[in-house]
Amino acid sequence: MYSDPRGSNAGDVNDGTSELMAGQSVPSHKSNSFSGGTLMTNYELPSEVSEELSMSAINPSRESVRNCSSSNIAQGSPPNHSKPWSNSVIFYMISVSFWAIKNIFLVYPNVRYWYLMRRGAESLSQYQNNGPRDEADRAILCFKLAPPYCLLLGKEHKATVLFYLAWSHEAKYKFQRGMRDNQAAIINFREALLLQPSQPFVRLEARHKLVNCLLDRHERDGDLQDLEGATQCCIEALRLCPTGDPD
C-alpha cells in the first residue's frame, strides 16, 4: 500500500490499487524511505526490454561510441594513441640491421682470406719439405680461391695471393716438371708485379723466382725472349736492392 501525504485521497488511491491488483500483476519493487515521501527503485523490467538493454551494453552502436568519444574530448581526457612499436625501437632495429650487414660484407671476407692464405702456406711448406704431392694441389686451390675476397681489401693483398700462387706452381714444377705449372708460375709472377706490391720481400722474391722460371723454359724451348726477360728481371731486382745488400 502507498502512503499518500495528501491524506484525504488515500482511500481513492487504495481503491485504485486494489482494482489494479485484482486485474493484473503489479511489478514488485523495493522502496527506500526518505523524509517527505517514498522513493521506488529496482523495478523488474519485462524480459524483452532486459534482453535489448543487455545486447546494447555488449555491442554498443557507433553512435553511442561516437558520443562517448565526444564526451571524453569535451571533458579534457587525452585520446589514446598508444602504438605497439615506438619510433625509437624501429630506429634501433634498423641500426642493428645495417651493422650486421656491414660486418657480413667486411668481416667475413677478411676471415675467409686469412684462412685460405694460412691453409695454402701450410700446404706449400709441407710439400717443399718432401710432403705428399697432393699438398701442392691443395695449396694451389687455396690460393686460387683467395683473390675474390681481396676486392674489399685492396690490390696489395691480391698481389700477395698471386705471388704465393705462382710460388706453388713453381715448387710443383721443380718436383714434377710439368709444363703447365711452369707457364702458370710465369703468368702469376708477372701479374703480381704489375700490381706493384709495396712489400720488399714480394717485389724482390717475385722477380727472383720469375727469373728461374724463365730460365727453365729457355732451357726447354730455347726461346731467346725468355732469356731477355730473365735478364731484365735481374736488372730490376738489382735496382730495388738497397746499397750493401749481399743478395
Side-chain angles (χ1 to χ4, degrees):
M1 294 180 63
Y2 284 41
S3 59
D4 190 357
R6 291 176 294 182
S8 60
N9 296 329
D12 298 335
V13 174
N14 293 335
D15 294 338
T17 304
S18 301
E19 294 176 358
L20 181 61
M21 293 179 63
Q24 58 182 0
S25 62
V26 179
S28 63
H29 62 274
K30 183 180 180 181
S31 61
N32 293 329
S33 60
F34 65 97
S35 61
T38 302
L39 177 63
M40 293 180 293
T41 59
N42 297 333
Y43 283 99
E44 291 184 0
L45 299 176
S47 59
E48 295 82 359
V49 179
S50 301
E51 184 178 358
E52 183 177 357
L53 290 176
S54 61
M55 292 300 295
S56 62
I58 296 174
N59 298 320
S61 61
R62 294 183 180 179
E63 189 66 25
S64 62
V65 173
R66 189 181 299 110
N67 293 334
C68 291
S69 301
S70 302
S71 62
N72 291 335
I73 295 174
Q75 292 176 4
S77 60
N80 186 12
H81 296 295
S82 61
K83 297 180 180 180
W85 296 98
S86 61
N87 294 332
S88 59
V89 175
I90 296 175
F91 178 76
Y92 175 76
M93 294 178 65
I94 294 175
S95 302
V96 171
S97 300
F98 276 110
W99 178 82
I101 293 173
K102 182 184 70 174
N103 287 337
I104 290 174
F105 283 97
L106 295 180
V107 176
Y108 176 75
N110 290 331
V111 174
R112 187 64 176 170
Y113 168 78
W114 290 113
Y115 170 77
L116 291 173
M117 291 295 294
R118 186 184 65 179
R119 188 69 184 89
E122 291 176 355
S123 298
L124 178 60
S125 177
Q126 292 178 8
Y127 179 75
Q128 288 179 329
N129 294 328
N130 298 325
R133 291 188 175 185
D134 57 351
E135 291 295 335
D137 296 331
R138 187 175 291 109
I140 291 172
L141 178 61
C142 290
F143 294 131
K144 282 184 177 180
L145 295 175
Y149 299 100
C150 300
L151 297 177
L152 299 176
L153 302 177
K155 65 179 182 178
E156 183 67 28
H157 295 276
K158 186 176 181 179
T160 304
V161 173
L162 293 175
F163 167 74
Y164 280 100
L165 177 60
W167 190 354
S168 301
H169 283 290
E170 189 256 349
K172 184 179 179 181
Y173 172 77
K174 285 183 178 180
F175 290 94
Q176 302 182 17
R177 313 302 294 182
M179 296 176 58
R180 292 183 178 180
D181 292 320
N182 179 258
Q183 184 68 20
I186 293 173
I187 292 174
N188 287 288
F189 277 132
R190 285 177 172 174
E191 289 184 0
L193 292 173
L194 288 176
L195 294 175
Q196 298 179 356
S198 59
Q199 297 179 4
F201 171 76
V202 176
R203 289 183 297 173
L204 293 175
E205 194 67 21
R207 286 179 170 84
H208 173 69
K209 292 183 177 299
L210 178 58
V211 168
N212 293 333
C213 292
L214 290 174
L215 291 177
D216 291 337
R217 192 169 68 176
H218 170 70
E219 292 177 359
R220 185 183 67 245
D221 299 336
D223 191 352
L224 293 178
Q225 291 183 356
D226 292 334
L227 186 60
E228 293 177 359
T231 303
Q232 185 65 28
C233 286
C234 290
I235 295 173
E236 293 177 357
L238 289 173
R239 292 175 181 175
L240 293 174
C241 290
T243 303
D245 189 352
D247 294 335

